[in-house]
């Protein structure tokens, strides 16, 4: 297998890992105002991802860095042509990260409510725009002979891309609801399962429609298997959630995300950035770095990727137990100031 193909697979793996892990983070953030009826319950919801959300975002950084190093032409075209959507994603992720850290800095209900809204928006915006971005990558965008983006922002907001954004948003809501049902106890757990029952219907409708259109317009024989597997994952999640088997439901939503992303990357290969114009399409060959660069990167990836995966797996194992409102310490009341 050529190194260009190897690195296409590695980058697909990195993005898939990011969406699998960060997907339930986004879902939890979007469900914060739905499942958290008071401050204690909202703290439970946030604490389910508190130890892991920043580690999950590392996959995004690594995926972007790997794209830059292995396929610099792809990186340059993608980040210049999709500048505004990617900037919006970056701002949303920054606001979301700040909100997690600053929410509890003051004992003020209005202060916490503002940061809760920031968590919601900072989760919704990336969940939607990532779907829009990857749908456009698979569909193709106008690129000129120099591989420069020749379209406008409105070209990115086409019906297919918007459907992709809706599909990822609903799928991440479902993934987050199932994760919350798996990680919490008490009333929040049962509310999360009820939300998952509703969200799975939307995920099947939006996600199924998006994958079907993708398959008809851009698919290959093998992508029928991955797309069908994604649908089967959603059906598994629906059945398991109804029976209270949260672990199997999480496996189902995770499999749906992994196989849906696999469908997109498989449909895309060997292109990395198709052009809707007569010329300008970027492939794994004309967008890649030199063979020596790819060889060095392969050795580095082979050495360090397992270490990162083992460490992150250990983190999830340490924080594997369920949490509930009984685990949240009461906020100490302020002592009245002495009268002078």
């Amino acid at each position: 297998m050529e190194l260009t193909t190897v690195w296409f697979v590695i980058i697909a793996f990195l993005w898939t890992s990011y969406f699998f892990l960060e997907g339930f983070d986004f879902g939890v953030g979007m469900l914060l105002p739905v499942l958290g009826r008071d401050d204690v319950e909202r703290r439970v919801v946030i604490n389910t991802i508190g130890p892991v959300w920043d580690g999950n975002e590392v996959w995004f950084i690594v995926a972007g860095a790997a794209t830059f190093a292995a396929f610099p032409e792809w990186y340059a075209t993608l980040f210049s042509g999709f500048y505004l959507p990617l900037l919006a994603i970056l701002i949303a992720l920054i606001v979301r990260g700040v909100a997690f850290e600053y929410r509890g800095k003051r004992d003020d209900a209005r202060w916490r409510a503002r940061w809760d809204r920031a968590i919601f928006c900072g989760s919704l915006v990336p969940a939607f725009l990532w779907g829009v971005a990857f749908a456009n990558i698979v569909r193709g965008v106008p690129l000129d002979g120099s591989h420069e983006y020749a379209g406008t922002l409105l070209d990115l907001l086409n019906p297919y891309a918007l459907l992709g954004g809706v599909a990822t948003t609903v799928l991440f809501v479902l993934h987050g609801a199932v994760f919350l049902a798996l990680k919490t106890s008490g009333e929040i757990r049962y509310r999360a399962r009820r939300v998952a029952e509703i969200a799975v219907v939307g995920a099947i409708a939006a996600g199924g429609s998006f994958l079907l259109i993708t398959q008809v317009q851009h698919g290959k024989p093998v992508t029928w298997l991955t797309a069908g597997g994604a649908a089967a994952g959603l059906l598994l999640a629906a059945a398991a959630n109804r029976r209270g088997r949260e672990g199997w439901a999480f496996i189902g939503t995770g499999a749906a995300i992994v196989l849906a992303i696999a469908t997109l990357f498989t449909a895309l290969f060997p292109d990395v950035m198709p052009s809707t114009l007569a010329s300008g399409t970027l492939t794994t060959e004309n967008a890649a770095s030199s063979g020596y660069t790819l060889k060095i990167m392969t050795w580095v990836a082979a050495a360090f990727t397992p270490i990162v995966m083992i460490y992150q797996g250990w983190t999830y194992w340490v924080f594997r137990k369920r949490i509930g409102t009984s685990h949240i310490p009461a906020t100490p009341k302020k002592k009245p100031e002495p009268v002078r």
Side-chain angles (χ1 to χ4, degrees):
M1 184 183 295
E2 296 181 357
L3 286 180
T4 53
T5 303
V6 169
W7 272 97
F8 182 88
V9 173
I10 291 174
I11 289 172
F13 168 76
L14 294 173
W15 281 110
T16 302
S17 300
Y18 171 66
F19 287 127
F20 174 82
L21 296 172
E22 191 77 336
F24 65 75
D25 283 353
F26 291 148
V28 168
M30 288 184 282
L31 290 173
L32 179 62
V34 177
L35 298 180
R37 302 290 175 81
D38 55 34
D39 183 61
V40 173
E41 291 186 347
R42 286 190 286 273
R43 289 169 65 188
V44 170
V45 171
I46 293 173
N47 284 354
T48 60
I49 60 173
V52 297
W53 70 267
D54 49 354
N56 294 342
E57 288 192 351
V58 169
W59 291 92
F60 167 45
I61 299 172
V62 176
T67 304
F68 171 76
F71 299 103
E73 286 283 347
W74 183 14
Y75 180 93
T77 301
L78 177 65
F79 278 77
S80 60
F82 291 31
Y83 177 78
L84 288 177
L86 292 176
L87 178 62
I89 290 173
L90 182 60
I91 293 173
L93 292 176
I94 292 173
V95 169
R96 178 170 166 268
V98 171
F100 283 135
E101 298 297 330
Y102 275 77
R103 183 185 184 278
K105 296 298 184 181
R106 288 173 55 182
D107 184 16
D108 182 355
R110 287 181 296 181
W111 169 271
R112 290 192 292 267
R114 285 193 290 267
W115 290 118
D116 288 344
R117 288 192 291 270
I119 292 173
F120 172 79
C121 294
S123 302
L124 174 62
V125 171
F128 178 74
L129 289 181
W130 278 130
V132 172
F134 272 83
N136 275 301
I137 292 174
V138 174
R139 173 181 177 268
V141 293
L143 301 178
D144 60 23
S146 301
H147 309 305
E148 296 289 338
Y149 181 68
T152 65
L153 177 62
L154 292 179
D155 292 325
L156 301 178
L157 303 178
N158 55 82
Y160 173 74
L162 294 176
L163 177 60
V166 172
T168 53
T169 302
V170 180
L171 184 56
F172 290 162
V173 168
L174 171 62
H175 199 38
V178 170
F179 177 79
L180 283 170
L182 179 65
K183 283 290 294 178
T184 59
S185 59
E187 185 62 27
I188 299 177
R189 175 187 178 187
Y190 297 109
R191 280 191 220 131
R193 283 171 53 185
R194 290 195 293 270
V195 169
E197 288 182 1
I198 300 172
V200 73
V201 177
I204 292 173
S209 300
F210 176 71
L211 288 180
L212 180 60
I213 295 173
T214 301
Q215 182 63 30
V216 170
Q217 296 182 351
H218 312 284
K220 302 170 182 176
V222 69
T223 54
W224 281 112
L225 296 177
T226 54
L234 291 178
L235 294 177
L236 171 63
N241 180 71
R242 185 173 291 274
R243 289 171 173 77
R245 304 292 297 274
E246 291 98 347
W248 280 105
F250 186 73
I251 291 174
T253 56
I257 291 174
V258 169
L259 292 171
I261 300 301
T263 300
L264 298 182
F265 273 98
T266 305
L268 182 64
F269 184 81
D271 296 337
V272 295
M273 200 77 174
S275 175
T276 56
L277 303 179
S279 61
T281 293
L282 284 168
T283 68
T284 54
E285 293 298 326
N286 64 15
S289 294
S290 66
Y292 181 75
T293 300
L294 295 179
K295 185 179 295 186
I296 296 297
M297 289 174 60
T298 303
W299 284 109
V300 173
F304 289 100
T305 302
I307 297 174
V308 173
M309 295 178 67
I310 291 171
Y311 172 76
Q312 192 161 24
W314 175 78
T315 302
Y316 276 93
W317 175 257
V318 169
F319 296 100
R320 67 189 181 277
K321 293 183 178 180
R322 294 179 183 270
I323 63 173
T325 54
S326 61
H327 298 98
I328 302 299
T331 303
K333 295 183 179 180
K334 293 182 178 180
K335 295 181 179 180
E337 296 184 2
V339 179
R340 295 181 180 177

